[in-house]
Amino acid sequence: LMEAHTALRLALAAADASDASTSFSKAEYEARESRDTTYYDGFVSENRCLTSDDAVKEVRHLEFQSLDASIAHYEAGDVLGVVPFATRAADAKVSALIERLGMSPDAWVRVYPSSAPETKALFPLIQVKYLLAGAIDVDSASPRRYFFEVMSHFAESEHEKERLQYFASAEGAVDLYKYNQRERRTVCEIFDDFPSLKPSLAWLLQVAPHLHPRYYSISSSPADTERTRATHITVAAAEWVTPMKRARKGLCSSWLNSLNVGTRVTYSITKGSISLPPPETPLILIGPGTGIAPFRSFVRARVLQSSTASALVVFGCRHARHDYLYKEEWEKIQKDGSLIGSGGDSLGGVVVAFSRMMPEAKKRYVQDCVKDEAKRIWSLLEAGAKIFVAGSAEKMPAAVYKAIQ
């Protein structure tokens, strides 16, 4: 599956180069990929639930180790990427899709830019079943409008052709949104709804959603990985119900959370958008829910630095017994005074906001903690503290920003 995924990425890079009228070098492409990202063939060494059975959302702690026992090199704040191979080559839905293409699952094909057929030999042979399962997102992502426009040319039924053309038109934009984006209609479901569709593999690869890596903040510290060879991530299960009452699950989170210990996984490590400041810089780390993941990495690294500066962690969850992630760790850090700098200013520590602790109690969020800890935070800021915020990208960051102001 990973070979198929890589083959399509290679072909897309070559196609982009051809469209830009620039030369393409497979060796240069692979060198650039390895320069920006480090890949590991590994396995799941731990997968445990961090939340109670009655928590609103399941959150799990996963650890990965490389098969060759090598140590992953990264810095606090970096991210781990995985391609969610939740669809298997032998799945019935993949076989049904290949049958609609008029092909054999075991057929071998090359994927290369049609604009540069002279480069065909550069690209590997891949079996069709692995190409569809490992490179195309057939069971999660919704295709774009252009998908419906192209598919209209491959519908044998006149009624289906007209319906697809309508979805692709300006007049059908609202109905397309209701049918496709709002319901998160998948490629497999669209083929079920349009049984006369029989496109070519080339066009399907061109317009269907491609399977992309998902990235998670690493929640271990480099020292953890040096000691145990394991790299940690913290994953929340994404589940929701569409307006038509169809249950949906996040492709990658549900796949990761289902993995058994020992399962083979290819993962990558990439530079993150944040990095741990020097030990003499005070920290204010605000992360509700799984937003705490990169700050767990920060804190575990900072504790070993014998830092001269304090760090304040502000965490938020619904209930102390249901979804207080890494509760024992934070309580021990608070008890030991590990986040108080060597200056002994008592400004560091862990503060937690519980938004659903008691039914009748007022909801308390991380921005409320910021207000309650105003003197403490102001003192840290005067000492040159850096503020980091991670988590929900909806209302929380703006509310935290306003509280700090």
Side-chain angles (χ1 to χ4, degrees):
L1 292 175
M2 192 64 194
E3 289 177 4
H5 179 79
T6 303
L8 182 59
R9 283 170 56 95
L10 178 67
L12 290 171
D16 289 342
S18 177
D19 292 344
S21 300
T22 59
S23 61
F24 175 77
S25 166
K26 182 179 178 182
E28 289 180 4
Y29 167 79
E30 292 174 344
R32 186 169 63 251
E33 283 282 293
S34 61
R35 183 172 63 249
D36 298 336
T37 303
T38 305
Y39 291 89
Y40 298 89
D41 287 321
F43 64 96
V44 178
S45 58
E46 185 170 336
N47 184 351
R48 60 183 170 90
C49 189
L50 297 174
T51 50
S52 67
D53 292 340
D54 48 0
V56 172
K57 181 183 295 185
E58 181 184 64
V59 180
R60 301 189 75 87
H61 170 90
L62 285 95
E63 298 184 10
F64 301 97
Q65 293 186 38
S66 64
L67 289 170
D68 62 3
S70 62
I71 297 174
H73 296 288
Y74 63 91
E75 297 178 357
D78 287 352
V79 296
L80 183 147
V82 287
V83 181
F85 295 127
T87 302
R88 312 305 299 177
D91 286 355
K93 63 186 70 176
V94 173
S95 299
L97 193 55
I98 294 173
E99 185 177 346
R100 297 282 286 276
L101 301 177
M103 302 183 73
S104 164
D106 297 321
W108 293 84
V109 296
R110 292 185 199 270
V111 183
Y112 60 93
S114 58
S115 56
E118 69 280 2
T119 65
K120 179 178 178 179
L122 290 174
F123 303 92
L125 283 165
I126 299 291
Q127 283 186 295
V128 172
K129 59 185 177 184
Y130 293 113
L131 191 59
L132 290 192
I136 301 298
D137 191 344
V138 298
D139 203 29
S140 171
S142 297
R144 297 185 177 183
R145 186 193 65 81
Y146 186 52
F147 175 89
F148 294 87
E149 180 181 336
V150 170
M151 289 300 112
S152 70
H153 297 285
F154 295 99
E156 296 181 349
S157 161
E158 194 61 33
H159 169 71
E160 291 179 18
K161 181 187 293 288
E162 291 175 0
R163 186 66 175 166
L164 289 164
Q165 289 173 339
Y166 171 70
F167 278 151
S169 68
E171 294 79 10
V174 173
D175 287 332
L176 175 63
Y177 171 77
K178 292 178 180 178
Y179 169 80
N180 187 43
Q181 293 97 317
R182 194 169 67 172
E183 287 297 305
R184 285 289 292 271
R185 198 83 56 170
T186 69
V187 170
C188 286
E189 290 172 338
I190 292 169
F191 270 75
D192 288 341
D193 291 344
F194 295 87
S196 77
L197 265 185
K198 293 182 179 179
S200 67
L201 174 62
W203 272 109
L204 184 66
L205 291 177
Q206 191 165 323
V207 299
H210 295 161
L211 194 60
H212 296 290
R214 272 61 163 181
Y215 295 97
Y216 297 87
S217 294
I218 294 174
S219 53
S220 53
S221 73
D224 292 325
T225 305
E226 287 278 350
R227 180 172 53 84
T228 66
R229 301 186 185 277
T231 306
H232 310 175
I233 59 172
T234 309
V235 180
E239 298 182 2
W240 68 97
V241 177
T242 71
M244 295 295 290
K245 307 302 180 185
R246 298 151 65 95
R248 295 297 198 197
K249 292 184 177 182
L251 179 69
C252 194
S253 63
S254 59
W255 173 70
L256 282 173
N257 292 350
S258 71
L259 296 180
N260 295 320
V261 170
T263 303
R264 292 275 300 271
V265 176
T266 298
Y267 59 97
S268 65
I269 290 181
T270 307
K271 184 67 180 172
S273 59
I274 59 175
S275 57
L276 181 63
E280 63 273 14
T281 303
L283 300 176
I284 301 170
L285 309 173
I286 305 170
T290 53
I292 202 64
F295 304 147
R296 179 177 183 260
S297 178
F298 274 23
V299 167
R300 291 172 76 88
R302 178 58 73 90
V303 166
L304 296 176
Q305 290 177 336
S306 299
S307 176
T308 58
S310 292
L312 176 65
V313 176
V314 181
F315 175 63
C317 62
R318 297 173 70 90
H319 198 286
R321 292 196 303 272
H322 299 162
D323 55 356
Y324 186 173
L325 308 182
Y326 303 110
K327 178 181 179 181
E328 293 78 11
E329 290 184 26
W330 297 122
E331 289 180 342
K332 184 177 187 305
I333 286 171
Q334 177 70 6
K335 181 180 178 181
D336 294 347
S338 302
L339 297 182
I340 296 175
S342 57
D345 54 23
S346 299
L347 296 176
V350 180
V351 179
V352 186
F354 301 110
S355 63
R356 304 293 193 281
M357 198 64 175
M358 299 291 289
E360 66 280 1
K362 180 182 177 182
K363 295 176 183 178
R364 191 164 183 261
Y365 300 103
V366 288
Q367 57 265 31
D368 298 312
C369 286
V370 170
K371 294 174 184 177
D372 294 343
E373 300 291 335
K375 290 183 66 176
R376 194 180 193 181
I377 288 175
W378 182 250
S379 295
L380 286 167
L381 290 173
E382 284 189 317
K386 299 290 186 183
I387 301 176
F388 294 86
V389 182
S392 170
E394 296 179 355
K395 298 179 180 179
M396 183 274 295
V400 167
Y401 181 72
K402 183 178 180 181
I404 291 172
Q405 283 185 315

